[in-house]
Amino acid sequence: MLARTADNLYWLSRYMERADFLARIIEATQRLASVPRASGKDETEWESALIASGAEETFHANYEVADEPNVVRFLAFSEDNPSSIRNCIEYARTNARAVRTALTAEMWDAINSAWLDLQNFNGQGEAMHDREETSRFLEFAKATSLVFDGSAYRTMLRNDAYWFSRVGLYIERADNTARILDVKYHVLLPETESIGGSLDYYQWTALLRSVSALTAYRWIYRESVQPWLVADLLILKQEMPRSLLACYDALVRFLDEIGQAYGQQGPGQRHARTVMRRLEQASIKDIFQSGLHEFLTDFVEDNSRLGDLLTQQYLLN
Amino acid sequence: MPYFDEMTLPDGSIRDVYQRVAQWLSDSPAELLESRRSQAELLFRRIGITFAVYGDKDAAERLIPFDIIPRMISRAEWTKLEAGLIQRVKALNMFLADIYGDREILAAGKIPADLVYSNAYFRPEMSGRRVPHDIYIHIAGIDIVRVDGDKFYVLEDNARTPSGVSYMLENREVMIRLAPDLFADHRVAPVENYPDALLATLRSVAPRSANSEPTIALLTPGQFNSAYYEHSFLADKLGVELVEGRDLLVRDDIVYMRTTEGPRRVDVIYRRIDDDFLDPLAFRPDSVLGVPGLVSAYLAGNITLANAVGTGIADDKAIYTYVPDIIEFYLGEKPLLQNVPTWRCREADSLAYVQEHLNELVVKEVNGSGGYGMLVGPHATSEQILLFRKKLTADPENFIAQPTLPLSTCPASFSHGVAPRHVDLRPFILSGSQEIRVVPGGLTRVALKEGSLVVNSSQGGGTKDTWIVEDNLIEMSPDQRQSQCFGARQSQSQSLGFGAGQSQSQTQG
């Protein structure tokens, strides 16, 4: 297939996945911020949401205060933020339009309808401060991702077009899972609260809920929410569909399909396998001992390196 | 001026071919037509059939208005049109092969040589080069207008990159959904085989060096081009890659596309980019849309471009007036389709006539376009007429004149009711190495503004589905008709079968 087509499909999937992630991170932050606490000071939730989404620099170039209205406007609606939900959907459609021939009618319909609906949310005026409007918008973003993903899964031919779009999705999802887990690192516990205390507990629960994993957690561990088990679920549990291991399992599989179809393996396939092996051999105990934040930071770098390798190998031909 | 209406004759009677449509209109209350109209708009918007209007940010993607009343043409009328179209395109192809070859027509003095050599669309690079299979205009769109019950005229030939065929195809899909009963009541010649015919045409003209499975690509200027939707639509229907200039590269006069598996050779390019932008090395050096080296590969015979480079000379306004002579010269036949009567002011008799009838005629500058340098006699002031009289005397060669044509009208549906509007027709003619194919129908464009004769989409024009219908159905009794409508019965039995099967498997499970 055309290298540009593969590139567009890859990014289209990434943008759609990212829109979903941003919606989830805003929801998670709203929950974290609403936790009652002794003092009103030290509220770092919205700053942490910016860090987790990798947008803190662009944000501070545009805004002074990282409070809810500003951050929500920036992450959800802003045209100045290249990774806002609005822009993700805009870019996704631009990519989709460029490769319409590689999309099924259902995928096009999903993205095009979402783009048309997007015009109904302005997010610039007064409505912006309205949590109900925000919440409708976040639901819309998540539903869009879901419909798009579902239509791709159900209707695409299983050939390289499909594999590249899945690779984009899983690279993005792995990145997002790592980042959302890292939010907790950036949310500082007030000095009056203890680790393992009720605020700590509440924060981890909110995090699980934000990735629709609270029920899964209970099924798997059958005990109250513990930080290392949450990390275990989101990093090492094969059966958890957005865990880092599950993402890499899928990446290795789809990259193998591409390698087989083209009769050649390359640096992308080798790197994905290396990351996969490291995850398989890791234990949550070791990860916590050497530092969860450090582990996640390394992972995000490795993951983005996979993206670069694939760009060199296939998308820039 | 009285206009010929294709549905209703001056005495109020309905022409045979429109009987059912008239009945359908009178059976449909205004609300029903209204709801069909909004349904149509919704369908088009969801499919994403849009065109871009340059320089208008808010309306970057607009819909071309679609009128829900089909334009009816009888099979007998179509058969005549079709023969004329094939004849015309055949002759134009021979003309181009001659102009870039031996130039017999110039030697015979049938066409003034300066009309060719000084023409902006003439490509000297092509002289003495043969294109694969001697076909230049693989895809032609010929604009036809109707003025009365019998007469059709060719208004314009489009021999470069004619567009609009995606609307012909999508209009039909939408129409079948909007008016299934009306559709089933007629036997409408299908248009959906157009992509197959186009693919067969493109494959047939691959360079002889290509293997038996030639690789075809459609070259688009990109998604900001006004016809991008059509480009992606066609690439999809053809099952070929939609490429931009940056997706192609030329190495040792061979054209490749950049794929995820490395460069892959391309044999035929259906290009929707003008000559000027094809190759910055050969034509406009500032073109970022083109492919450096493409023309060199083309001249080396390693790639087929459809349409060929240099076809603009065949659809030029000045050459247009000679097309009847071109047909006679190459085919030895009388033209089956007439040109709009045109006076060439370079000829003394014509000039004298034009000077005397300036207030009735449309006078056009040969090299002008888009209504520039044009005099519309019936609407002109006496100063304008005087100015043109002087211009004509000074430089008669630069002008042609035509009567203001009474374009036919068809019924169109509006929120205030049904009203007649002027239409034209653009059928698409495909020339391959073995045969010329014309899909029955074409794109009907309609001037939606009352009284307007301008059908262009940029100026308030819309489109209609065009139905070529069998004549014999018209006299058929209702019983006979029913037996013809096997479509309805088939779908009934299918859905029955499906339902039964499904419930069975559910019980089992």
Side-chain angles (χ1 to χ4, degrees):
Chain A
M1 69 188 305
L2 280 184
R4 183 174 52 85
T5 305
D7 188 57
N8 281 318
L9 284 169
Y10 169 85
W11 281 107
L12 167 58
S13 295
R14 288 197 70 156
Y15 285 125
M16 292 306 283
E17 186 65 23
R18 190 173 298 172
D20 173 82
F21 164 67
L22 289 165
R24 288 174 183 280
I25 222 161
I26 293 171
E27 286 178 344
T29 313
Q30 281 173 333
R31 274 189 170 262
L32 285 175
S34 67
V35 175
R37 72 201 70 200
S39 92
K41 280 184 239 159
D42 306 323
E43 287 181 21
T44 52
E45 288 84 4
W46 290 103
E47 188 67 44
S48 77
L50 289 170
I51 297 171
S53 57
E56 73 272 28
E57 272 182 37
T58 0
F59 178 86
H60 289 297
N62 288 280
Y63 296 91
E64 291 276 313
V65 191
D67 57 4
E68 177 171 359
N70 283 348
V71 175
V72 169
R73 181 186 294 134
F74 187 69
L75 290 184
F77 301 101
S78 171
E79 287 174 6
D80 304 324
N81 173 9
S83 276
S84 69
I85 294 177
R86 170 185 296 276
N87 277 335
C88 280
I89 294 175
E90 286 277 354
Y91 297 159
R93 182 169 182 277
T94 305
N95 275 287
R97 230 169 95 77
V99 291
R100 266 196 73 160
T101 53
L103 301 182
T104 62
E106 287 80 1
M107 291 165 79
W108 169 253
D109 196 35
I111 181 77
N112 195 44
S113 306
W115 181 78
L116 291 169
D117 290 344
L118 185 64
Q119 323 302 325
N120 300 330
F121 296 96
N122 74 16
Q124 298 299 327
E126 289 308 306
M128 189 23 251
H129 302 288
D130 180 349
R131 283 215 179 79
E132 276 179 42
E133 161 93 355
T134 302
S135 144
R136 276 201 308 121
F137 182 72
L138 300 180
E139 286 304 322
F140 156 78
K142 290 195 294 180
T144 296
S145 255
L146 202 56
V147 171
F148 177 77
D149 186 31
S151 58
Y153 177 71
R154 293 180 63 140
T155 59
M156 273 186 102
L157 269 180
R158 266 35 176 185
N159 57 16
D160 43 1
Y162 179 71
W163 301 324
F164 279 113
S165 80
R166 290 282 124 171
V167 165
L169 179 147
Y170 284 108
I171 288 191
E172 185 68 27
R173 187 176 292 174
D175 176 83
N176 297 343
T177 300
R179 285 173 186 277
I180 214 163
L181 202 46
D182 211 24
V183 172
K184 186 62 180 74
Y185 171 83
H186 297 285
V187 181
L188 300 175
L189 273 178
E191 277 169 27
T192 49
E193 296 280 344
S194 60
I195 293 176
S198 66
L199 181 57
D200 194 31
Y201 168 83
Y202 198 89
Q203 287 175 343
W204 285 105
T205 310
L207 197 150
L208 275 179
R209 204 192 298 270
S210 73
V211 292
S212 308
L214 188 54
T215 315
Y217 179 93
R218 299 222 161 96
W219 272 104
I220 294 182
Y221 302 104
R222 300 194 180 274
E223 60 172 297
S224 64
V225 175
Q226 308 291 344
W228 54 91
L229 291 183
V230 172
D232 184 59
L233 180 69
L234 293 183
I235 297 174
L236 300 178
K237 271 285 172 267
Q238 176 89 52
E239 54 269 58
M240 177 65 207
R242 62 174 316 139
S243 75
L244 303 187
L245 184 61
C247 288
Y248 265 77
D249 185 54
L251 281 170
V252 166
R253 190 152 35 91
F254 289 118
L255 287 172
D256 263 350
E257 299 264 26
I258 294 171
Q260 269 165 30
Y262 295 171
Q264 211 175 356
Q265 301 272 331
Q269 277 88 354
R270 285 191 285 277
H271 182 70
R273 247 184 273 283
T274 309
V275 177
M276 170 86 175
R277 215 171 303 123
R278 216 175 291 151
L279 288 169
E280 280 173 334
Q281 290 162 1
S283 77
I284 204 65
K285 198 172 149 221
D286 296 341
I287 291 175
F288 266 72
Q289 238 151 36
S290 52
L292 177 62
H293 172 65
E294 287 68 24
F295 174 85
L296 292 172
T297 310
D298 285 351
F299 176 83
V300 168
E301 268 170 31
D302 269 339
N303 190 53
S304 101
R305 182 166 151 69
L306 177 60
D308 294 343
L309 287 172
L310 293 175
T311 302
Q312 289 300 329
Q313 193 177 339
Y314 295 115
L315 310 179
L316 272 185
N317 260 323
Chain B
M1 202 177 334
Y3 297 105
F4 173 72
D5 187 76
E6 298 188 10
M7 179 164 86
T8 312
L9 294 171
D11 65 4
S13 62
I14 303 292
R15 287 176 68 235
D16 282 349
V17 70
Y18 267 94
Q19 291 289 347
R20 302 260 162 73
V21 172
Q23 190 63 43
W24 179 72
L25 285 174
S26 68
D27 290 349
S28 309
E31 311 87 71
L32 186 57
L33 287 178
E34 181 70 49
S35 97
R36 283 185 186 130
R37 268 201 309 280
S38 52
Q39 211 187 328
E41 163 142 5
L42 203 66
L43 282 169
F44 278 109
R45 194 158 299 274
R46 288 200 70 166
I47 315 174
I49 311 180
T50 56
F51 73 107
V53 179
Y54 297 118
D56 185 352
K57 188 179 175 283
D58 291 332
E61 285 177 35
R62 264 178 37 191
L63 286 183
I64 295 187
F66 171 73
D67 182 68
I68 57 167
I69 307 175
R71 195 249 184 110
M72 311 296 283
I73 294 175
S74 75
R75 171 60 78 173
E77 290 169 335
W78 174 255
T79 306
K80 279 196 256 172
L81 271 179
E82 186 184 37
L85 292 167
I86 291 176
Q87 180 196 49
R88 193 171 177 103
V89 171
K90 207 183 206 177
L92 288 176
N93 265 314
M94 294 170 83
F95 168 69
L96 285 164
D98 188 26
I99 286 298
Y100 292 118
D102 298 337
R103 299 187 181 143
E104 287 173 15
I105 198 165
L106 301 185
K110 297 286 177 189
I111 294 183
D114 63 301
L115 270 192
V116 173
Y117 295 135
S118 64
N119 195 297
Y121 294 113
F122 175 68
R123 293 285 173 201
E125 299 86 344
M126 296 294 290
S127 297
R129 308 280 185 166
R130 288 185 67 181
V131 297
H133 309 274
D134 290 332
I135 309 283
Y136 285 79
I137 311 169
H138 309 85
I139 300 113
I142 309 277
D143 292 346
I144 303 279
V145 295
R146 171 164 213 176
V147 296
D148 60 30
D150 314 303
K151 267 206 268 340
F152 291 89
Y153 287 118
V154 173
L155 191 61
E156 197 174 289
D157 302 293
N158 295 282
R160 283 166 285 160
T161 55
S163 63
V165 78
S166 58
Y167 296 96
M168 170 181 92
L169 297 169
E170 292 287 38
N171 285 356
R172 176 64 51 84
E173 294 304 315
V174 168
M175 207 56 216
I176 291 175
R177 285 209 241 173
L178 286 183
D181 292 336
L182 182 65
F183 187 77
D185 272 353
H186 292 87
R187 277 211 273 158
V188 183
V191 291
E192 71 248 26
N193 55 331
Y194 179 83
D196 290 338
L198 177 57
L199 188 62
T201 299
L202 294 172
R203 290 172 62 103
S204 78
V205 294
R208 290 175 214 279
S209 61
N211 68 28
S212 61
E213 287 293 325
T215 301
I216 299 169
L218 196 158
L219 177 60
T220 173
Q223 65 166 308
F224 300 106
N225 183 268
S226 63
Y228 179 75
Y229 169 74
E230 174 155 307
H231 305 161
S232 71
F233 174 90
L234 284 175
D236 196 22
K237 297 282 172 199
L238 292 169
V240 306
E241 294 289 0
L242 177 65
V243 298
E244 297 179 16
R246 58 191 160 126
D247 296 321
L248 298 177
L249 68 136
V250 180
R251 209 179 283 155
D252 299 329
D253 280 346
I254 308 274
V255 183
Y256 300 90
M257 55 185 175
R258 300 170 202 271
T259 78
T260 48
E261 296 172 83
R264 177 169 165 208
R265 184 169 175 169
V266 181
D267 304 299
V268 181
I269 296 180
Y270 174 20
R271 50 91 169 220
R272 296 291 297 259
I273 291 186
D274 291 340
D275 284 357
D276 275 345
F277 296 96
L278 268 182
D279 180 351
L281 300 180
F283 305 126
R284 280 178 60 156
D286 60 337
S287 168
V288 289
L289 306 172
V291 187
L294 183 60
V295 169
S296 168
Y298 181 53
L299 295 178
N302 292 331
I303 184 109
T304 298
L305 295 178
N307 291 345
V309 171
T311 55
I313 186 81
D315 68 7
D316 176 72
K317 245 182 251 149
I319 298 295
Y320 164 85
T321 66
Y322 291 92
V323 175
D325 307 292
I326 288 174
I327 293 171
E328 293 212 43
F329 183 78
Y330 294 107
L331 300 175
E333 296 168 7
K334 289 277 167 213
L336 300 172
L337 273 176
Q338 307 307 311
N339 266 11
V340 177
T342 305
W343 290 272
R344 302 174 195 129
C345 302
R346 56 161 55 218
E347 292 165 10
D349 293 354
S350 301
L351 180 63
Y353 178 89
V354 171
Q355 293 280 31
E356 274 167 40
H357 296 84
L358 275 178
N359 57 343
E360 302 162 16
L361 299 173
V362 178
V363 183
K364 297 176 181 171
E365 220 171 298
V366 170
N367 297 316
S369 70
Y372 239 28
M374 193 163 105
L375 175 83
V376 183
H379 300 163
T381 63
S382 50
E383 289 88 35
Q384 285 170 323
I385 290 190
L386 197 67
L387 179 70
F388 260 76
R389 204 180 294 286
K390 282 183 188 154
K391 281 190 181 183
L392 278 168
T393 316
D395 187 13
E397 303 207 348
N398 199 24
F399 293 92
I400 58 169
Q402 293 174 336
T404 30
L405 278 189
L407 299 195
S408 62
T409 56
C410 288
S413 168
F414 299 93
S415 51
H416 55 77
V418 173
R421 290 292 184 268
H422 295 290
V423 292
D424 78 350
L425 175 68
R426 175 178 291 181
F428 296 90
I429 301 93
L430 300 171
S431 304
S433 64
Q434 303 299 323
E435 56 178 312
I436 300 182
R437 301 172 173 89
V438 193
V439 171
L443 177 66
T444 289
R445 296 187 297 177
V446 49
L448 292 172
K449 262 185 253 160
E450 189 168 7
S452 168
L453 291 162
V454 185
V455 295
N456 295 58
S457 53
S458 53
Q459 299 184 44
T463 69
K464 279 170 168 293
D465 192 12
T466 311
W467 289 8
I468 310 298
V469 292
E470 297 300 335
D471 310 273
N472 59 3
L473 203 66
I474 286 153
E475 293 95 40
M476 222 181 271
S477 71
D479 298 346
Q480 281 173 309
R481 273 209 318 271
Q482 210 144 46
S483 70
Q484 295 268 357
C485 292
F486 54 83
R489 215 183 303 152
Q490 192 179 43
S491 76
Q492 203 169 29
S493 74
Q494 265 186 342
S495 65
L496 258 174
F498 179 66
Q502 196 178 41
S503 72
Q504 202 169 31
S505 75
Q506 272 186 339
T507 340
Q508 279 171 347

